[in-house]
Amino acid sequence: MNAPMSSALRRLAVYCGSASGTAPAFADAARQTGEAMAARGIDLVYGGGKLGLMGIVADAVRDGGGRTYGVIPDVLVGLEVAHTGLTQLHTVAGMHERKAKMSELADGFLILPGGIGTFDEMFEAWTWNALGYHSKPFCLVDVAGFWSGMTGFLDHVTASGFLSPARRAQLLVAATPAEAIERLDAAAREATQGMVW
């Protein structure tokens, strides 16, 4: 493996589905995410499952020589089928502990396609950032336009006066995993602690 490029990101949390989705582009993006992270020497923090996009990302990081840290609630060990080939698997009591542990371990958040669990994780990370609990950046990877409906709705929320332009600007969007990592790295270097009201 080539020497990793210097990065402000030591560990990146990846939020994504425990399913693979209907479009091959989703799995391709998950694989590309893991490969790009391993090439840059960025460790993976994720939900700890071996199915769907979660498993694809973890396997790609591991296959590229990277380290993988899973965080999974007891109740989901069987449902998401916990990955047994990780550097470390943290088993926690519930979703609150999972999200807190992932936030503690990671320097930023990359969000691939997923369902309600992915939405929950992303919005909580954003809320904690906006309230100044952390200054870690987060970025959607808009694979095949997956997130375009949500970003359009968030623009509507901003125009309606429920989300400030500064807070809306916190949510980065990239077309590819490589672009997302670049944007997250730049944002992590420029991050300042404090509330974004």
Side-chain angles (χ1 to χ4, degrees):
M1 185 171 80
N2 295 332
M5 297 171 9
S6 177
S7 177
L9 305 170
R10 294 170 297 111
R11 291 182 179 171
L12 189 57
V14 175
Y15 297 144
C16 60
S18 58
S20 295
T22 55
F26 300 150
D28 291 342
R31 193 171 301 105
Q32 291 165 16
T33 298
E35 291 169 352
M37 289 175 63
R40 292 186 62 148
I42 301 170
D43 297 345
L44 170 67
V45 176
Y46 84 116
K50 73 174 186 179
L51 301 178
L53 300 187
M54 293 170 67
I56 293 170
V57 172
D59 289 342
V61 171
R62 186 190 60 191
D63 293 347
R67 292 183 293 270
T68 52
Y69 299 89
V71 184
I72 192 166
D74 290 323
V75 69
L76 294 181
V77 168
L79 291 174
E80 290 182 349
V81 190
H83 201 306
T84 57
L86 304 178
T87 304
Q88 188 172 12
L89 180 65
H90 299 270
T91 303
V92 294
M95 288 300 292
H96 294 297
E97 292 87 348
R98 178 192 230 179
K99 290 180 286 186
K101 185 67 173 177
M102 289 178 72
S103 182
E104 172 194 326
L105 292 173
D107 301 313
F109 308 90
L110 184 150
I111 304 102
L112 291 167
I116 58 171
T118 303
F119 307 156
D120 175 54
E121 290 168 329
M122 186 270 292
F123 278 112
E124 187 154 316
W126 188 359
T127 300
W128 290 355
N129 185 302
L131 294 176
Y133 296 155
H134 68 74
S135 58
K136 301 170 184 180
F138 40 95
C139 184
L140 299 172
V141 182
D142 194 24
V143 182
F146 181 83
W147 294 111
S148 60
M150 178 179 287
T151 56
F153 174 70
L154 292 170
D155 291 339
H156 167 70
V157 173
T158 303
S160 299
F162 292 101
L163 189 62
S164 73
R167 191 173 281 183
R168 172 66 183 87
Q170 288 185 299
L171 181 62
L172 305 174
V173 181
T176 66
E179 180 191 351
I181 292 170
E182 290 296 332
R183 297 202 70 191
L184 286 164
D185 188 43
R189 292 176 191 279
E190 298 169 5
T192 56
Q193 193 69 38
M195 235 184 232
V196 178
W197 199 251

